[in-house]
Amino acid sequence: MSSTLVSPPVVKSKSLSCPNCGGPVELRGFAHTLSVVCPQCLSVLDTSTPELAILQKFQGKLRFQPLIPLGSRGTLGGKIFEVIGFQRREVRLSDDDPDAFGWNEYLLFNPYQGLRYLSEFNGHWNFIHSVSSLPEITTLAGKKKARYQDKTFSIFDTARAKTFFVLGEFPWQVRVGEAVFVEDYIAPPLMLSSETTNDEVTW
């Protein structure tokens, strides 16, 4: 008896036109994508309607160049992922804060595995995914702890992070200027993080 290996079907991206500049806009995340950024004029577009609606026009002064170009593919954890989104986030007390620091986040997509994230800060990389259940938050000796999957994570840092630049696709209606309250807990080499907005908390 002979057997034949069957490869999964090739998933092709969808091409649309930007209503602001008329340039081509490519969708790789399909149903996962709720907003996309035009690569030409950097307008943020709503993909929930047949005709792309403009959510935000680019008014920034700086353009950030991703170290990993959108559309790049690579293997992580034995699975092939494609880079479909990029955002630059920063923590600063004011627009001219000399002590501001920032990091880059890449949104990865596999049509059979879903979404993952890569973050990069000064050459240090983290592979990120959403948790499958909510951590249990406690306080021990006056310090916050998070219990998740039989591991205890200690509070490491808190900050208000703001999005300064976006490119590509996102599973939410992303906007430049949006801010989240971030809490990081650590149990080296692992980190557990939460992002809180007025509407939800994401771990």
Side-chain angles (χ1 to χ4, degrees):
M1 178 182 293
S2 62
S3 61
T4 302
L5 294 177
V6 179
S7 300
V10 176
V11 180
K12 296 183 178 180
S13 58
K14 181 180 180 180
S15 295
L16 301 168
S17 296
C18 174
N20 183 53
C21 70
V25 177
E26 195 171 16
L27 296 183
R28 300 178 175 91
F30 305 99
H32 293 276
T33 299
L34 294 183
S35 63
V36 63
V37 180
C38 172
Q40 286 78 224
C41 68
L42 299 182
S43 294
V44 181
L45 310 174
D46 182 0
T47 63
S48 64
T49 58
E51 294 185 0
L52 299 177
I54 299 175
L55 293 173
Q56 184 183 57
K57 291 186 179 181
F58 181 68
Q59 297 178 342
K61 298 179 181 179
L62 295 176
R63 291 191 177 212
F64 291 87
Q65 186 66 35
L67 294 176
I68 309 175
L70 298 187
S72 300
R73 293 184 178 184
T75 302
L76 285 169
K79 308 295 182 183
I80 297 176
F81 289 93
E82 182 174 5
V83 179
I84 67 170
F86 169 83
Q87 69 171 327
R88 172 71 178 183
R89 281 177 153 179
E90 295 187 359
V91 173
R92 56 174 65 187
L93 298 178
S94 63
D95 289 340
D96 57 353
D97 180 8
D99 297 322
F101 71 93
W103 65 94
N104 301 319
E105 293 183 1
Y106 298 82
L107 178 59
L108 314 178
F109 177 68
N110 176 305
Y112 309 102
Q113 302 296 321
L115 300 170
R116 301 290 190 273
Y117 298 84
L118 269 179
S119 70
E120 181 269 328
F121 171 71
N122 286 348
H124 298 277
W125 295 83
N126 285 312
F127 184 46
I128 305 168
H129 63 86
S130 300
V131 299
S132 57
S133 60
L134 289 178
E136 178 186 357
I137 304 301
T138 59
T139 301
L140 183 63
K143 294 186 177 181
K144 291 180 69 174
K145 306 281 186 178
R147 185 74 175 169
Y148 180 71
Q149 291 187 344
D150 297 326
K151 290 184 181 296
T152 299
F153 295 75
S154 301
I155 189 70
F156 175 72
D157 198 10
T158 62
R160 183 176 179 269
K162 187 176 181 181
T163 297
F164 275 82
F165 184 81
V166 290
L167 193 63
E169 304 169 45
F170 298 88
W172 70 93
Q173 290 192 340
V174 70
R175 286 175 174 82
V176 172
E178 67 181 3
V180 297
F181 179 70
V182 179
E183 286 189 314
D184 292 332
Y185 298 80
I186 58 171
L190 301 178
M191 177 180 286
L192 185 65
S193 298
S194 69
E195 294 186 0
T196 303
T197 66
N198 292 332
D199 302 318
E200 65 180 1
V201 179
T202 303
W203 287 89

